[in-house]
Amino acid sequence: DIIATRDQWRAVQSPISSAERDSAEQATTGANAALETWRSSTGVQLENLFETLGAFFGDLPSPSSAGPERARAAAVQTLSAELERCIAVLSRDDDATKRLAALDQNIERARARAAVLDEQIAGHATEAGSLAQALAEILPHIHSEDCPVCGRDFSEESAQPLQAHVSNRIAALTESAGRLQALAGERTGASRTLADAERERATVAARQLASTARDDLKSRRARLEELLRSLMDIASAAVTGEQLISA
C-alpha cells in the first residue's frame, strides 16, 4: 500500500524548477513592496479620511477590517444619503423663508386695506342710518318752503324745493347706508384674510430652522461634500489596495 501510494504521488507531482520558484518569490516580494508603498501613501490617506468620517458616522467599517474598496463604497453610500438629507432640510427651510417673506407682504397689505376700510366705514357711519330715518319721518310734515326744523324759508338758500332737497338727502343717506353695509362685509373678509395669513405664518415659522441650526447644517453639508469628493478621488487607489491585500 505504501509503495502504491508513493507511485501515485510521483505520478501527480509537478516539480517546480528553481527558476519558477525564484520568479514567484520575486513577484511576492514586489507585491509586498507595492503593498507597503500603498499603505504608506494612499493607505494612510484613506485611514485619515475614515478617522474624519468617524466624527460624522460612528458605525462605518474600517479599511483595515473590511478592505479599502468595500469600506470606501460603504462610506460613499452612507455619506451620500446623509448629504441628500441635509440638502433636503435646507431646501425646505429655504422654501419656508421665501413663504414667510410672501406672507409678510400679504399681511402688510391686508392690514393697510383694513385700515382704509375702517376709515371709510367711520365716514359713512356718521351719515347713514338714523339720520336718514329721522329725515324720512320729517318729510311728511313739509308742505311749503318753510323748514319745519328751523322755520326759515328754504327758497332763500336754494332754488330747489325743500321737499325735493330732503328727499335727495334721504336717498343719499340711504345709499351711504348700503355702502356702509358693503364696506362692513368687505372688512369682515379682510379680517378673515389677515387671520388666515397670520395663522399660516405661525405654522411656517414653526417649521423654519433657527439661525444657528441652519448655519450648522450648511457647514455640515459643505464638509460632507468635501469628504465625498475625497472618497471619489481615491476610488481607483482603493481598488488597487484591495487587490494588493488580496494578493
Side-chain angles (χ1 to χ4, degrees):
D1 291 340
I2 294 174
I3 293 172
T5 301
R6 182 192 61 187
D7 293 339
Q8 290 177 358
W9 172 251
R10 288 176 177 175
V12 300
Q13 190 176 17
S14 299
I16 299 176
S17 65
S18 59
E20 292 175 329
R21 185 166 54 252
D22 291 341
S23 177
E25 290 176 351
Q26 290 177 1
T28 301
T29 301
N32 288 334
L35 178 59
E36 290 303 319
T37 300
W38 181 89
R39 282 175 172 167
S40 62
S41 57
T42 306
V44 171
Q45 296 176 8
L46 191 62
E47 290 291 344
N48 292 338
L49 186 58
F50 268 78
E51 286 183 8
T52 304
L53 286 170
F56 295 91
F57 313 102
D59 56 349
L60 286 177
S62 65
S64 59
S65 62
E69 174 55 19
R70 284 190 291 272
R72 187 200 70 86
V76 167
Q77 182 178 4
T78 302
L79 198 152
S80 298
E82 175 61 11
L83 185 58
E84 289 179 2
R85 186 193 70 82
C86 291
I87 292 174
V89 172
L90 287 172
S91 178
R92 288 195 297 270
D93 181 69
D94 185 58
D95 292 340
T97 300
K98 293 178 181 178
R99 182 56 183 162
L100 282 177
L103 286 170
D104 286 340
Q105 292 181 354
N106 293 340
I107 289 172
E108 184 178 355
R109 286 195 295 266
R111 286 175 177 169
R113 179 57 179 162
V116 171
L117 290 171
D118 287 340
E119 183 178 352
Q120 292 177 347
I121 288 172
H124 284 281
T126 59
E127 300 178 354
S130 58
L131 180 56
Q133 184 178 357
L135 290 177
E137 293 176 355
I138 293 176
L139 186 61
H141 302 285
I142 299 176
H143 303 292
S144 65
E145 297 305 309
D146 293 333
C147 177
V149 177
C150 65
R152 292 183 58 184
D153 186 356
F154 185 73
S155 62
E156 296 176 359
E157 300 292 330
S158 173
Q160 184 183 35
L162 176 58
Q163 191 175 39
H165 174 74
V166 174
S167 297
N168 291 337
R169 183 61 175 157
I170 292 173
L173 291 174
T174 302
E175 181 181 356
S176 182
R179 178 59 180 159
L180 178 61
Q181 185 176 3
L183 287 172
E186 190 174 351
R187 181 63 174 84
T188 301
S191 298
R192 187 181 302 109
T193 299
L194 179 60
D196 291 343
E198 290 178 338
R199 185 163 47 251
E200 183 182 357
R201 191 192 188 288
T203 302
V204 174
R207 296 198 303 262
Q208 193 178 29
L209 294 174
S211 58
T212 53
R214 185 185 305 109
D215 293 340
D216 291 343
L217 196 59
K218 287 181 178 179
S219 298
R220 182 179 180 86
R221 181 188 64 181
R223 186 60 176 141
L224 290 176
E225 289 174 342
E226 180 183 352
L227 292 171
L228 183 59
R229 284 193 297 270
S230 298
L231 285 172
M232 301 304 293
D233 292 341
I234 209 170
S236 59
V239 173
T240 301
E242 186 104 17
Q243 293 171 345
L244 289 172
I245 292 174
S246 300

